[in-house]
Amino acid sequence: MRALQAEGVKTIFGYPGGAIMPVYDALFDYTRGEKKCFDHILVRHEQGAAHAAEGYARVSGEVGVALVTSGPGVTNTLTGIADAMMDSTPIVVIAGQVAISALGTDAFQEVDLVGVSQPISKWSYQIRHAEDVAWAVSRAFYIARSGRPGPVVLDFAKNAQTEEIDYNPERINFVRSYVPYPKLDAEAVRQAAELINNAKKPLALVGQGVELGNAQSELKKFLEKADIPAGRTMLGLSALPSNHPLNVGMLGMHGNYAVNLKEQECDVLIAIGMRFSDRVTGNLKTYAKQAKIIHLDIDKSEIDKNVKTDVAVVADCKESLPAITELINKGDHKEWRDSFRPLDDKERVKVIEPAIHPKDGPLLMGEVVNAVAEQAPDDAILVTDVGQNQLFATRYFKYHHKRSICTSGGLGTMGYGMPAAIGATFAAPERCVCCFMGDGGFQMCIEELGTIMEQKSPVKMIVMNNHYLGNVRQWQDMFWLRRKSFTKMMNPDYSLIAKGYGIAYEMVTDRKDLACAVERMLKTEGAYILECAIKEEDNVLPMTPPGMNVNEMMLEI
């Protein structure tokens, strides 16, 4: 408890069990009375603890903490650990383990946690003796939060929990062979600036690295001085406000039409804190072959991993962006920026207007997201589950402030939304948290309604119910001869479930009632479930089919 206190931990998401009971007994004193320094949030499933820790970390910028027992308790967190690894989210998962004398005996709820978690974590370590606790905790938090952030797992043997020693504070800020902040290469900076100064059609691709490095203001200064249009990855959406004049939309398979096509036309492409995911690049063999590639990233392993780089600036973007900005000329690329407009207009007419302002028929996901975005406070946080709900929500929500989006990017984890939203409410209790879910993802972690009920967590849950696993259904229709194999869903009566948990609920079936229902949801104190009956075969567009070139986006099916 004292080691966690020294790391500035305030909130712990957890679920007790036999092998972690000594820690929970100590936690009792630190959550009440004069010693109180932690809030412990009792989740209903350990996967929920990991995702809640992720949501907390993504919004607060601090390390999220999950505390669970051994065996099935910690294996239930593995999805969240893998998700955090893919999306560079700093969390520390502390799990109980059998005593070292019982290791390897198949003792009750024993599992080789270090062996299981090493491939999907930044560091995994077994604490075998009490004297290692302070050191291990400090090292865990240092590794989780420094450099490119990520998840760390501590496997806490039961004998180490019960042994008694004098507490000696540890402060780890150095690990041999671990270089979290590479030294900025002045020559690389000069070469990047030279390419940018000579560019006629520069394009920036902004990723979550800008948010993780707290370099939002440095990004704006760079873009505005060079006059460079910027697309954003899904996880980087709130790194640049939606209404910024240089923002040209979201990248990727279901991103905006103009920016995806212009990746194949720009002469200099500047990737900032992003990893060239396959969902962004499409067919790598044809991706941006005409452009000089500048890649700014803190992680050297990302350089040349997917896209061959002409200039690599390996450093924290909070340091590299100002260094490049100092050397670049004041730019004027009005003609290049204006060339995006006809493509934007084409997408607006063919896709956006029909999606957010339909004239008849059932409710559409796009118009539901738009209705919430129009009324939500400017500092609202978007949390999504995974699937069509995620793609519509990220496309049509509005971003005005940094750290305003929580979604599962690399792993694409259904069930992420609700627990991550719980974590977000504890990270920023003063901000409105809007969580969009499909009927499939909502049911994957539906037990966390119990956590919301107990904690009075004010999550605004928008359930877009189309009675399908919508994204899989869309792919089946497009690429599998409309053979809808097990994607149709029979759903429960969500009004009765909401009543059981004492959560305010409303159902919308007609668009004339949508705006007022959203208003009631946002004005209601506490949690709220707004269920919207969605057109069953609503499709996410535009779309670059898998394996196709990034500029071969479909505006219609």
Side-chain angles (χ1 to χ4, degrees):
M1 294 303 107
R2 292 170 71 179
L4 291 175
Q5 192 177 9
E7 295 300 327
V9 174
K10 298 181 179 65
T11 306
I12 299 169
F13 302 92
Y15 203 95
I20 198 68
M21 212 172 290
V23 173
Y24 265 92
D25 184 67
L27 181 62
F28 185 89
D29 292 328
Y30 284 81
T31 54
R32 64 203 74 214
E34 292 182 2
K35 279 188 177 180
K36 177 176 168 57
C37 59
F38 305 127
D39 287 318
H40 177 272
I41 313 306
L42 177 66
V43 297
R44 297 306 186 262
H45 190 283
E46 292 91 351
Q47 183 177 346
H51 292 325
E54 286 188 274
Y56 182 90
R58 291 274 279 274
V59 172
S60 69
E62 302 296 331
V63 178
V65 179
L67 182 64
V68 297
T69 195
S70 64
V74 72
T75 58
N76 281 341
T77 70
L78 291 176
T79 297
I81 293 167
D83 191 277
M85 189 67 177
M86 289 285 279
D87 288 349
S88 303
T89 305
I91 65 172
V92 171
V93 175
I94 302 170
Q97 180 59 281
V98 301
I100 59 173
S101 60
L103 288 173
T105 67
D106 290 334
F108 180 65
Q109 294 189 333
E110 179 191 359
V111 69
D112 179 7
L113 178 57
V114 173
V116 169
S117 62
Q118 267 187 340
I120 56 170
S121 62
K122 198 173 174 187
W123 185 53
S124 184
Y125 181 77
Q126 186 174 78
I127 302 174
R128 291 181 156 225
H129 299 285
E131 63 213 43
D132 298 329
V133 170
W135 170 86
V137 169
S138 183
R139 182 178 168 119
F141 277 79
Y142 171 65
I143 291 173
R145 67 164 64 101
S146 61
R148 181 179 181 174
V152 169
V153 177
L154 291 179
D155 188 32
F156 201 174
K158 197 164 185 179
N159 64 284
Q161 298 176 45
T162 56
E163 292 166 0
E164 292 188 359
I165 59 160
D166 290 330
Y167 170 65
N168 292 311
E170 291 267 5
R171 195 65 180 170
I172 304 297
N173 53 23
F174 171 79
V175 175
R176 190 176 62 184
S177 78
Y178 172 56
V179 184
Y181 301 101
K183 184 178 179 181
L184 185 63
D185 183 343
E187 178 58 21
V189 168
R190 187 197 65 76
Q191 290 177 15
E194 183 178 358
L195 281 178
I196 294 167
N197 285 335
N198 291 325
K200 303 298 182 187
K201 297 178 178 181
L203 177 63
L205 311 183
V206 176
Q208 190 195 194
V210 172
E211 294 265 58
L212 296 174
N214 295 309
Q216 297 88 349
S217 62
E218 288 83 359
L219 173 70
K220 284 185 190 178
K221 290 174 183 176
F222 166 72
L223 295 175
E224 289 166 1
K225 183 176 181 181
D227 194 34
I228 297 176
R232 302 157 300 158
T233 67
M234 183 181 286
L235 297 187
L237 282 170
S238 62
L240 189 68
S242 298
N243 59 2
H244 193 283
L246 292 173
N247 166 36
V248 291
M250 185 170 78
L251 303 162
M253 178 179 279
H254 291 286
N256 291 106
Y257 189 60
V259 66
N260 277 282
L261 267 62
K262 291 297 183 178
E263 286 177 271
Q264 301 295 73
E265 188 182 331
C266 65
D267 59 359
V268 173
L269 189 150
I270 309 109
I272 307 168
M274 55 88 73
R275 58 185 179 85
F276 287 113
S277 160
D278 59 298
R279 286 297 173 101
V280 167
T281 64
N283 183 5
L284 279 169
K285 292 179 180 178
T286 61
Y287 179 72
K289 294 301 180 184
Q290 80 293 339
K292 295 290 185 182
I293 308 292
I294 301 170
H295 195 173
L296 279 62
D297 206 287
I298 199 169
D299 186 354
K300 188 176 181 179
S301 71
E302 291 296 342
I303 305 301
D304 296 334
K305 186 175 81 176
N306 294 327
V307 173
K308 180 66 177 173
T309 300
D310 292 282
V311 177
V313 184
V314 183
D316 189 335
C317 59
K318 195 170 183 69
E319 183 183 8
S320 59
L321 279 171
I324 295 172
T325 303
E326 188 176 344
L327 298 183
I328 57 177
N329 303 326
K330 180 69 175 172
D332 183 0
H333 298 291
K334 183 177 184 304
E335 185 177 346
W336 165 237
R337 287 189 289 104
D338 287 347
S339 72
F340 285 70
R341 291 179 184 171
L343 298 172
D344 287 334
D345 292 341
K346 186 175 182 180
E347 181 185 359
R348 176 158 290 281
V349 170
K350 284 186 168 289
V351 176
I352 297 175
E353 283 301 318
I356 66 175
H357 296 128
K359 293 181 170 54
D360 51 31
L363 281 170
L364 301 181
M365 291 192 195
E367 69 176 312
V368 172
V369 175
N370 186 64
V372 176
E374 285 185 341
Q375 296 191 50
D378 281 355
D379 66 348
I381 297 165
L382 170 70
V383 183
T384 83
D385 208 82
V386 165
Q388 287 183 317
N389 66 90
Q390 173 189 41
L391 302 169
F392 276 110
T394 52
R395 276 181 59 85
Y396 295 120
F397 206 73
K398 305 294 190 297
Y399 311 93
H400 302 279
H401 291 259
K402 63 183 181 180
R403 295 190 176 274
S404 292
I405 179 170
C406 287
T407 192
S408 174
L411 201 63
T413 305
M414 288 181 67
Y416 170 94
M418 194 191 305
I422 293 169
T425 64
F426 283 94
E430 75 287 355
R431 297 175 70 180
C432 175
V433 176
C434 298
C435 180
F436 289 86
M437 294 172 280
D439 43 317
F442 180 54
Q443 292 180 76
M444 275 206 173
C445 274
I446 200 167
E447 74 282 345
E448 296 308 326
L449 288 173
T451 308
I452 290 174
M453 173 185 67
E454 182 175 351
Q455 300 297 331
K456 297 180 172 56
S457 188
V459 182
K460 309 304 182 187
M461 293 166 275
I462 303 95
V463 180
M464 300 196 285
N465 187 354
N466 58 9
H467 294 278
Y468 269 103
L469 297 174
N471 212 37
V472 184
R473 190 274 312 153
Q474 179 173 335
W475 281 49
Q476 288 173 338
D477 281 351
M478 294 177 68
F479 310 121
W480 296 93
L481 303 176
R482 302 185 67 83
R483 289 158 58 89
K484 297 180 178 64
S485 180
F486 301 102
T487 44
K488 181 79 171 175
M489 296 190 74
M490 179 183 288
N491 292 322
D493 186 333
Y494 294 127
S495 68
L496 296 178
I497 291 172
K499 183 178 180 182
Y501 284 105
I503 295 173
Y505 167 90
E506 185 170 355
M507 168 72 138
V508 179
T509 59
D510 195 311
R511 64 176 43 90
K512 67 179 173 56
D513 302 321
L514 179 60
C516 290
V518 169
E519 182 180 12
R520 283 189 290 273
M521 175 184 72
L522 294 175
K523 285 185 176 180
T524 299
E525 287 190 17
Y528 201 101
I529 298 174
L530 180 64
E531 182 184 357
C532 300
I534 300 295
K535 178 182 177 181
E536 286 194 347
E537 297 191 352
D538 193 6
N539 291 318
V540 188
L541 291 168
M543 180 180 185
T544 302
M548 301 295 283
N549 301 333
V550 70
N551 58 325
E552 295 180 312
M553 290 198 87
M554 301 167 59
L555 292 175
E556 55 192 0
I557 298 176

